[in-house]
Amino acid sequence: MSTLAYPSADFPGQPSVALEVPEGWEPAHAPGTTMAARLPREGAFAPNVVVTIEQCGPSFRIEDSLEQIASLATSRGGAVSEPYAADLGGAQFVGCDATWPDADVETVLQANLFHLVTSGASASADAPAHLVQLTGAVGGADAVADYELIRQVLTTARVTPWSAAADTDAGAATDVDVDE
């Protein structure tokens, strides 16, 4: 009988993502997010960066995510920029900015970046991959100045694909020899 395990070479785990945030930013937790941080502000829109990682099938295209952002923005009376490319720590992202009016803060502006990670068995045609989405959001009177803040945080993103070697190394560090 064979044993299947997750994560493994047959079922790669999620990639890891790291961000550098300036002093004053704090972790934020919300359902559906992998990681988030924000700059708290009393009575104003808090600039924030959100990371999500989701498994996707072999037919997934980053264009699908760009279309989803465009649909969201236009449904709210807004618009999106032309797609652009960004190299963040050696990972190739595709992004677009989206903006829409908001009754509470006048305008919301988002920077959205997408990177498709394949690893392990993902080299096979039917294996899944992981979509890493980075979203920075600003709003209100400080949106233009705050956009530079979120852009600075987003450009620090580092994505590391899961690997069986990294998982084995981590496990080895926690092994305890009980014979001594």
Side-chain angles (χ1 to χ4, degrees), residues 88-100:
L88 304 177
Q92 301 303 309
F93 282 81
V94 176
C96 68
D97 291 346
T99 186
W100 58 84

Side-chain angles (χ1 to χ4, degrees), residues 54-125:
E54 69 179 84
Q55 194 170 16
C56 49
S59 64
F60 177 81
R61 305 171 316 125
I62 286 183
E63 291 80 6
D64 297 338
S65 293
L66 295 172
E67 290 168 8
Q68 194 174 31
I69 296 296
S71 178
L72 171 73
T74 57
S75 75
R76 296 178 175 180
V80 296
S81 70
E82 288 295 317
Y84 53 85
D87 181 319
L88 304 177
Q92 301 303 309
F93 282 81
V94 176
C96 68
D97 291 346
T99 186
W100 58 84
D102 182 88
D104 295 328
V105 296
E106 283 185 40
T107 301
V108 171
L109 171 60
Q110 279 188 345
N112 300 279
L113 294 161
F114 303 94
H115 174 63
L116 197 58
V117 178
T118 58
S119 61
S122 293
S124 69

